Structures are given as C-alpha cells and as structure tokens.
Amino acid sequence: MSDELKRQFLRHVCQTSAQPLGIVVKRALGAKIWDIDGREYLDLLAGMGVANVGHAHADVVQAITEQSAAYLHVSVYGEMVQRPQVELARRLAEATPGNLSVVYFTNSGTEAVEGALKTARKYTGRTRFVAFNGAFHGDTFGALAVGGNPTYQEPFTPMLLDVEHLPFNDEAAFPRIDASVAAVIIEPVQGEGGVRIPSADFLPALRARCDAVGALLIADEVITGFGRTGKLFACAHWEVEPDILVLAKALGGGLPLGAFIGRPEIMQTLSHDPPLAHVTTFGGHPLSCAAGLVAFDVLARERLPERAATIGREWLAQLRELRGGALRAVRGIGLLIALEFETPEATRRFVTRCFEQGLILNWTLHCDTVVRLAPPLTITKEEIGRANTVMAAALR
Ligand code: PMP
C-alpha cells in the first residue's frame, strides 16, 4: 500500500524536491513521526519550524475539535467578530514589544510578508525596499523579490518590486538606506540562508538607521518566533522593536496561519483610501486561531522559550564535541542550530546517513552546506541523546 501511495504522490502531487523524504505518514506526536510500516522517526525539523509545542499536542487537538463543532469559516476577513481570532490578536498584542497592538491574520508566512510590504508602501508613500543577501521571506512574487538569493529569482524575473539587497550583518552598507526607502525587511536570524546570527550591535544600529531616515523596520520572525531562539521573539535578544512584526509557522499550532502586527497608526492605513485596501477570504481562520491560541498557552505554561534557551545551550556544547565527516563549524541560538560542512556532498552524505537511522533533518533551503536542527521545543534530553549518537556515527 505504501508503494502504491508513493507512486501516486510522485505522479499527482506537484513535485518540487529533487529527493523528497517520501515518508508515508501514519501518525505524529511530540517530536516523533511514524510511517505506515511502523518505522519511527525523530523530527529534528519540527515540520520546518511549525511544531514548536510538538506535533499534535493534545490541547491543540482538543481546541480544534471544539472549534470545528462550533463553526468553521463564516465570513471573509474582518467582517465578523470571532472569539478565537480576537483572543489570539489580544494575546499577541500583549506579548509583542511596545505598541505592536493591531494584528492582520493571513494564511501563511509569505502572505504576511506581502501584507507587511504593502502596508509599508501605503503608510510611508514611498516605493523602495531594502532587504538582505541570503534572506528568505517566502515564494510569492513580493516575498521572492525581497528574498536574497538570485538563484531562486532568476527563473522568474523580472522581479516586481524595487528592492536593494545589502550584505547581512554589515553596518557599512547602511548609507544605502535613505529617505526613499519605505521599509527594510530582515530576519533577525537568517534561517533558510544558513542560520546566520548577527553580531550584537547590528540590529540596534539598523533600527537607528531606519529611524533616522523614516523607513519602517519589518522583522520577519516566521522561523525565529514563538520561542525558537530561546526568547518568545528573537528581536528581544537585541532589544529591538520593529515597526511591523511578521509571524507564521508555529503561530497556528500546526494549522495554517500567518500574521503581521503593527502599531495602530500604521495598520489603520489598510482601512481607508480605499476601504478594504487588503482583504483575504481565509486569513485568520477560526480553526487556525483556536489552535494557535492554545499553542500559545502551552508555550507559556511549559515555559518553552526558556526551555529552548537551556536545552539549546547544552545541545550546542555537545554538538561542538562532534568530529569528522567534513564538519566545519557548529553554531546556534536556542533550538535553531546549524552544522556547517565543507561541501554540499558531505552535507548530503550526513543527512542521508542520519535519515537511514531515523533522524529527520535537512540542509537549509538556500544553503546546501548547512544542516539545520530545529526540533520541537518539547524535545526530550533522551531524544537529543539518541540524535547525538546517530549523528556521531554518521560523521564517523
Ligand atoms: N519568512 C521566513 C523567514 C521563512 O522561513 C518562511 C518559510 N520558510 C517564510 C517567510 C514563508 O512562510 P510560508 O512558507 O508560510 O509562506
């Protein structure tokens, strides 16, 4: 049965990956995934930064069940008052820094990026954007244009936005940010670009530069949000408050949900000239918001950001002991950890060997020499121990 399903998958589900993992999924719980033949995998990617509270957390499942019995989609965005949406918006407003108090919900990260870019243009009346080399913000046209990897842009040129890309973590380039710039968009820690962590003064200096020229600062925390880096939001590591915060992935507790959040005066721009300046049918779906709300509770109750900081620090120290297999460097922040290899071939060999032993991990989307570890923040020490044993053997 699994072979037949795999054949149909390859034939009818649009293929984007040269070598899909191809696990025929039966069940997922916590940090584990089982295939239909009963094989167990340890998911060191959390479905790529989604399952921060673990796969299928019982509270999240219960919230989904209860919400689905009450109502599913009832109306397009922003017309009806839906408790899960309102409560999640309020919780996000309370948890985010400063006066980021107005939330626009989308279905995905890339849509949230699009919304943030449109909001910045409309609010500032300016047209240009600044982004960073190596950045990933999603694959719709606007998000692709601010992405910082030409390989993925070239097949789709011309890009639709006026964007200048600057080197990441280099303040010398800041004079390029001037009063023609609507917004600067940045991942506080670059994820898909290879887990690149900026030096201590880079983000504060960027904040200051944006203030000086009147450009908005958009922080894309689609990967780094919800405790991944050891704080609820990564911007807090540098005490930087963005003008617009972009969230997705873990936001929906496993269901599709994105958001961009800003100060009232910025977000109000979407309600006039013309009214309904940015709308969506499904954004902020009640099921996704109900799941997200409970996932947020779990995150706080189980102190998962703090856990990510502690466990991440310990794991990083253990990983730094690893040797062999052309492993060059290990770095990380919270439970966003990179193993950097000498070559793409060495990286691929390592990933394949680990996978054969039941570890789900991969190189980052845009950096084929960096393996990223981003497990559920609930991963146990025993599971980490098991992963270490497999990884050490794979390197040997
Ligand atoms: N921004 C960042 C930083 C991301 O890592 C991603 C997805 N990996 C996105 C945006 C796009 O999110 P989505 O896939 O939900 O559209």
Side-chain angles (χ1 to χ4, degrees):
M1 185 174 95
S2 80
D3 286 348
E4 178 53 24
L5 210 52
K6 247 187 228 181
R7 255 196 304 280
Q8 292 180 26
F9 164 76
L10 293 170
R11 181 159 176 208
H12 295 300
V13 178
C14 180
Q15 295 294 305
T16 52
S17 170
Q19 286 170 300
L21 289 178
I23 296 170
V24 183
V25 182
K26 176 158 191 213
R27 202 163 75 85
L29 190 69
K32 295 196 177 99
I33 295 178
W34 291 269
D35 72 11
I36 62 172
D37 300 318
R39 193 148 187 238
E40 181 183 295
Y41 297 86
L42 188 56
D43 182 8
L44 299 183
L45 286 179
M48 199 41 266
V50 172
N52 285 18
V53 300
H55 290 287
H57 193 289
D59 295 4
V60 174
V61 173
Q62 189 186 342
I64 292 172
T65 308
E66 285 170 8
Q67 180 57 41
S68 62
Y71 58 92
L72 296 174
H73 183 265
V74 282
S75 182
V76 294
Y77 185 83
E79 298 295 332
M80 292 192 187
V81 182
Q82 303 174 44
R83 181 180 295 280
Q85 201 181 72
V86 176
E87 284 187 5
L88 183 56
R90 179 180 54 77
R91 290 290 300 277
L92 289 171
E94 285 166 4
T96 47
N99 195 21
L100 300 177
S101 62
V102 179
V103 182
Y104 189 111
F105 287 111
T106 65
N107 302 287
S108 66
T110 198
E111 277 176 82
V113 167
E114 298 287 337
L117 296 173
K118 281 181 71 181
T119 302
R121 238 192 205 179
K122 189 165 184 301
Y123 177 71
T124 61
R126 303 175 182 180
T127 55
R128 290 185 64 226
F129 293 100
V130 163
F132 291 90
N133 296 335
F136 184 80
H137 297 292
D139 273 335
T140 52
F141 261 117
L144 183 64
V146 288
N149 189 330
T151 305
Y152 292 85
Q153 295 175 329
E154 265 152 26
F156 306 103
T157 50
M159 290 289 103
L160 302 187
L161 293 180
D162 180 4
V163 183
E164 179 167 347
H165 288 87
L166 303 182
F168 185 72
N169 202 24
D170 181 5
E171 291 173 45
F174 284 178
R176 301 295 307 162
I177 305 168
D178 61 24
S180 69
V181 174
V184 176
I185 181 165
I186 189 161
E187 297 164 88
V189 176
Q190 285 193 344
E192 303 294 358
V195 187
R196 297 170 69 198
I197 306 162
S199 48
D201 42 4
F202 177 68
L203 284 164
L206 180 63
R207 173 71 275 181
R209 180 69 193 173
C210 288
D211 288 341
V213 299
L216 299 187
L217 180 62
I218 302 173
D220 179 346
E221 294 230 27
V222 167
I223 284 188
T224 56
F226 297 99
R228 171 61 53 200
T229 68
K231 293 203 185 270
L232 187 57
F233 301 111
C235 279
H237 288 289
W238 299 279
E239 291 175 15
V240 162
E241 186 184 321
D243 297 298
I244 301 178
L245 177 67
V246 178
L247 301 172
K249 289 195 186 279
L251 170 63
L255 264 55
L257 189 63
F260 58 101
I261 310 174
R263 292 193 301 277
E265 70 272 21
I266 293 177
M267 299 301 283
Q268 264 157 19
T269 196
L270 298 179
S271 63
H272 58 82
D273 305 320
L276 302 172
H278 189 74
V279 296
T280 164
T281 300
F282 280 124
H285 193 284
L287 213 51
S288 302
C289 288
L293 196 54
V294 168
F296 202 64
D297 283 340
V298 172
L299 206 74
R301 191 176 68 227
E302 299 183 9
R303 300 176 62 80
L304 294 182
E306 293 84 345
R307 190 166 193 282
T310 319
I311 293 226
R313 211 167 19 243
E314 287 168 18
W315 200 9
L316 201 58
Q318 293 159 7
L319 293 169
R320 287 201 166 117
E321 302 294 313
L322 291 176
R323 293 289 178 273
L327 178 64
R328 186 161 68 187
V330 178
R331 61 179 170 274
I333 180 166
L335 281 172
L336 184 58
I337 295 177
L339 306 177
E340 184 160 4
F341 290 80
E342 307 274 356
T343 62
E345 294 70 38
T347 316
R348 212 164 300 133
R349 258 195 318 271
F350 175 75
V351 167
T352 305
R353 283 182 192 157
C354 289
F355 183 67
E356 285 163 2
Q357 297 304 315
L359 293 192
I360 297 175
L361 41 70
N362 220 332
W363 48 92
T364 65
L365 191 58
H366 288 183
C367 191
D368 57 9
T369 52
V370 168
V371 168
R372 158 183 46 199
L373 307 177
L377 311 185
T378 54
I379 190 168
T380 64
K381 290 192 178 181
E382 179 269 322
E383 287 166 335
I384 286 178
R386 185 177 132 204
N388 287 345
T389 306
V390 171
M391 288 191 287
L395 289 173
R396 277 198 300 274

